[in-house]
């Protein structure tokens, strides 16, 4: 939690002024019992109405000044807490953005969402309350005790006994509840996970009639959260009654001792009332402190969870080499493959074995590389290594002879167009989605990308054309339309490497063929990697890589593989009759 306080450094002034104004308010509040004692002992005892009026005006003035101080303190505390929460949220989001797919898979999306939202809100509330009450409440408690000693030292000994007892209760409850609140937040993660899966997979759940079982699973996770919250709530709930018992017991003793000393002529009635008021102030402040500690305990638990994510160091280390330096126009390198995999292996974090083993191949500039294989053979894993979504655990990947790890990651990815298996679009217009590929793309660039991706016709039929509003996740588009727009988004940046990861699965064969033909005619002639389950999609690739259980089963042209690669033959003949193959 301590490391997160760095995000308060721009709010030092607010962080100092908020508690100062609160303590100033508390100082005026501590004067009130003395004024009341004077009203009783002088004004009421002597029936001096003018004195009573003057003292009442002083009380009103103290109240107004206290209110102004309180509002000012609240303003500074809210400004500091909101700014802290904003900076922390931005920092956490930026840190998560630096994660590779490995860290995202390991930590989990649901818990990251909880920490980005619920946990940061809890920490922000904790900072707000700490700035307002953390110094004020102890100041009132100990200030009231000191003021009580100025009234009567012997009667004030009741405060000396009561305050340590109250401190033991308050801090004891805090120590017990802090780990329990951490557990509550972990149960909240589980509820969020179940909710997220049910919302994103609603159609699958209904298709398989799993509503009842999913409802039961959600209720179980929700019940765990409820039980944990009730348990920690019961422990936290002990704080108020126990503090009330001690404080009220102290008030009884105080009244008894005060009565004896008034009877003995040592104290006045007004002084006894002042002592009781000071004890009541302590009660009110300890109730506030108890609630503060509950909130701070939650904030600490949430802060530690955020800190644990911030401490995760991404495996990805960006290099310094820029694309333009690796490809100097005045000195083109001869006989150096554009992209080269040299005995590359990949093992996912926590996996029992390798997902890719000893992958070696070369791709020249402008070539089309087809990647095919059975389900789970490692096709997507292979292409995800090129933009460094995952890091190779063994071997080297080189672009123009330079290890891919030497390249600046952002600069490298700006020259790669990636179309992933799942078509993901964001809420906004078609133009806004396409400009994810290139922010300053012109309308002509968008039209060209739509034309190559075979999306121009259906976009033109939409109301507003490229200004047509896409709903969240593109739910107002068909699967094929979404895939063509994601391809267009990648083409807008005119990439030098284009990765199509099974991105035409929802397209009919004619549209798929037209798409591949249009990509081949692009003037930039990018190096294209086509991952597909369809043999027809890669028939005319310059190289076809056949993967089987993470290993290369064959590399070559369609004819070569059809003649000598059993794995490729099996895939091809499962999709085309042998008679058609014989006529090729």
């Amino acid at each position: 939690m301590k490391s997160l306080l760095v995000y308060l450094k721009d709010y030092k002034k607010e962080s100092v002024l908020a508690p100062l104004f609160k303590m100033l308010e508390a100082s005026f509040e501590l004067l009130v019992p003395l004024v009341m004692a004077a009203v009783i002992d002088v004004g009421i005892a002597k029936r001096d109405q003018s004195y009573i009026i003057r003292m009442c005006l002083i009380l009103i003035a103290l109240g107004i000044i206290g209110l102004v101080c309180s509002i000012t303190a609240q303003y500074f505390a809210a400004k500091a807490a909101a700014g802290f929460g904003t900076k922390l949220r931005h920092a956490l989001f930026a840190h998560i953005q630096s994660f590779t797919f490995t860290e995202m898979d390991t930590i989990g999306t649901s818990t990251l969402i909880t920490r980005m939202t619920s946990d940061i809100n809890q920490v922000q509330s904790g900072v707000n309350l700490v700035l307002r009450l953390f110094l004020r409440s102890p100041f009132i408690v100990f200030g009231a005790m000191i003021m009580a000693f100025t009234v009567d030292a012997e009667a004030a000994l009741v405060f000396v006994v009561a305050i340590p007892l109250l401190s033991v209760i308050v801090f004891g409850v805090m120590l017990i509840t802090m780990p329990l609140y951490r557990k509550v937040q972990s149960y909240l993660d589980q509820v969020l996970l179940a909710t997220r899966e049910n919302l994103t997979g609603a159609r699958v759940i209904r298709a398989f009639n799993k509503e009842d079982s999913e409802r039961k699973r959600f209720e179980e996770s929700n019940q765990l959260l409820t039980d944990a919250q009730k348990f920690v709530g019961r422990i936290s709930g002990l704080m108020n009654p126990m503090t009330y018992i001690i404080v009220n017991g102290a008030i009884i003793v105080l009244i008894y001792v005060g009565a004896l000393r008034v009877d003995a002529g040592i104290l006045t009635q007004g002084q006894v009332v002042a002592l009781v008021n000071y004890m009541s102030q302590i009660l009110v402040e300890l109730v506030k402190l108890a609630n503060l500690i509950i909130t701070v305990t939650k904030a600490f638990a949430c802060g530690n969870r955020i800190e644990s994510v911030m401490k995760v160091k991404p495996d990805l280390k960006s290099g310094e080499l820029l694309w333009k330096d690796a490809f100097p126009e005045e000195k083109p390198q001869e006989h150096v493959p554009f992209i080269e995999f040299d005995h590359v292996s990949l093992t996912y974090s926590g996996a029992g074995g390798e997902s890719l083993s000893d992958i070696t191949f070369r791709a020249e500039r402008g070539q089309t590389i087809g990647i095919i294989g059975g389900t789970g053979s490692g096709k997507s894993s292979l292409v995800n290594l090129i933009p460094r979504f995952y890091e190779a655990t063994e071997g080297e990947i080189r672009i123009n002879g330079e290890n891919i790890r030497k390249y600046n990651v952002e600069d490298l990815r700006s020259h790669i167009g990636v179309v992933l298996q799942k078509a993901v679009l964001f809420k906004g217009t078609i133009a806004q989605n396409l400009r994810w590929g290139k922010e300053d793309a012109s309308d002509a660039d968008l039209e060209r990308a739509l034309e190559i991706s075979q999306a121009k016709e259906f976009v033109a039929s939409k109301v507003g054309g490229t200004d047509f509003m896409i709903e969240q996740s593109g739910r107002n588009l068909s699967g094929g339309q979404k895939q063509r727009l994601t391809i267009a988004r990648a083409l807008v940046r005119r990439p030098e490497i284009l990765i199509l990861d099974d991105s035409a699965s929802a397209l009919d064969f004619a549209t798929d063929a037209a798409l591949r033909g249009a990509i081949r005619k692009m003037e930039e002639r990018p190096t294209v990697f086509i991952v597909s389950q369809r043999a027809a999609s890669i028939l005319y690739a310059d190289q076809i890589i056949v993967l089987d259980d993470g290993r290369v089963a064959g590399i070559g042209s369609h004819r070569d593989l059809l003649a000598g690669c059993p794995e490729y033959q099996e895939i091809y003949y499962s999709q085309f009759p042998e008679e058609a193959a014989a006529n090729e």
Side-chain angles (χ1 to χ4, degrees), residues 422-441:
K422 184 178 179 182
V424 177
L425 295 170
F426 299 91
K427 186 175 181 179
T429 64
I430 290 176
Q432 286 171 339
N433 272 272
L434 295 184
R435 286 194 171 97
W436 274 60
K438 186 181 178 185
E439 288 185 13
D440 58 349

Side-chain angles (χ1 to χ4, degrees), residues 415-526:
H415 291 83
I416 301 174
V418 182
V419 187
L420 300 174
Q421 280 179 305
K422 184 178 179 182
V424 177
L425 295 170
F426 299 91
K427 186 175 181 179
T429 64
I430 290 176
Q432 286 171 339
N433 272 272
L434 295 184
R435 286 194 171 97
W436 274 60
K438 186 181 178 185
E439 288 185 13
D440 58 349
S442 64
D443 291 341
D445 291 333
L446 301 187
E447 188 174 348
R448 171 182 173 273
L450 290 170
E451 189 171 349
I452 295 171
S453 65
Q454 310 304 302
K456 185 177 180 180
E457 185 180 344
F458 93 78
V459 170
S461 67
K462 298 291 183 183
V463 178
T466 54
D467 292 326
F468 175 75
M469 182 63 69
I470 298 173
E471 294 182 11
Q472 184 181 354
S473 301
R475 59 173 176 252
N476 56 338
L477 298 174
S478 69
Q481 290 172 340
K482 286 193 286 187
Q483 284 192 336
R484 279 177 280 174
L485 285 181
T486 54
I487 293 169
R489 181 174 60 193
L491 294 172
V492 163
R493 64 172 37 171
R494 297 176 182 263
E496 298 187 51
I497 301 171
L498 179 62
I499 298 172
L500 304 176
D501 185 4
D502 204 14
S503 55
S505 57
L507 304 184
D508 59 75
F509 284 97
T511 305
D512 186 14
L515 169 66
R516 287 183 278 109
I519 291 174
R520 280 198 299 272
K521 293 175 183 176
M522 288 173 62
E523 58 186 31
E524 305 94 88
R525 297 197 67 241

Side-chain angles (χ1 to χ4, degrees), residues 357 413 428 473 538 558:
S357 302
R413 290 176 180 169
S473 301
I538 59 168
H558 165 66

Side-chain angles (χ1 to χ4, degrees), residues 38-229:
V39 170
I40 293 170
D41 291 339
V42 179
I44 296 176
K46 296 181 180 180
R47 298 184 180 181
D48 188 344
Q49 291 185 354
S50 62
Y51 184 83
I52 293 173
I53 291 171
R54 287 200 304 274
M55 289 298 104
C56 288
L57 291 174
I58 291 173
L59 286 175
I60 293 170
L62 289 174
I64 292 172
I65 295 170
L67 177 63
V68 171
C69 291
S70 177
I71 292 172
T72 306
Q74 177 61 55
Y75 168 76
F76 286 123
K79 185 178 178 181
F84 165 80
T86 301
K87 286 183 175 294
L88 178 57
R89 199 173 285 109
H90 285 174
L92 180 59
F93 185 78
H95 185 66
I96 291 171
Q97 288 296 307
S98 70
F99 287 169
T100 63
F101 285 8
T102 300
E103 283 93 30
M104 297 287 283
D105 295 342
T106 302
I107 299 172
T109 305
S110 58
T111 188
L112 289 176
I113 292 172
T114 306
R115 294 177 205 213
M116 274 288 298
T117 52
S118 173
D119 286 356
I120 289 182
N121 288 341
Q122 195 72 55
V123 173
Q124 183 175 317
S125 298
V127 169
N128 192 339
L129 284 176
V130 164
L131 292 177
R132 288 194 294 119
L133 298 176
F134 193 69
L135 291 180
R136 183 190 189 281
S137 293
F139 181 80
I140 287 281
V141 170
F142 290 104
M145 183 174 70
I146 292 168
M147 296 299 286
F149 271 98
T150 64
V151 175
D152 183 64
E154 187 173 327
L157 292 175
V158 178
F159 290 78
V160 176
V161 175
I163 290 174
L165 288 175
L166 292 167
S167 301
V168 168
I169 292 170
V170 168
F171 290 102
V173 170
M174 183 187 74
L175 291 173
I176 294 169
T177 54
M178 190 175 289
L180 295 176
Y181 278 120
R182 196 176 299 119
K183 187 179 288 186
V184 166
Q185 289 300 114
S186 67
Y187 286 140
L188 181 61
D189 286 346
Q190 294 179 21
V191 172
L192 183 64
L193 174 63
T195 305
R196 183 172 176 273
E197 286 183 340
N198 274 269
L199 290 175
T200 55
R203 295 183 181 183
V204 177
I205 291 168
R206 290 174 184 173
F208 288 91
N209 291 324
K210 287 290 183 178
E211 291 97 328
D212 291 339
S213 61
E214 286 302 304
R215 191 179 295 114
K216 183 180 178 183
R217 183 167 76 95
F218 176 80
E219 287 173 356
E220 287 173 354
S221 58
N222 201 23
Q223 191 61 46
L224 280 174
L225 174 62
T226 304
D227 292 342
Q229 286 178 322

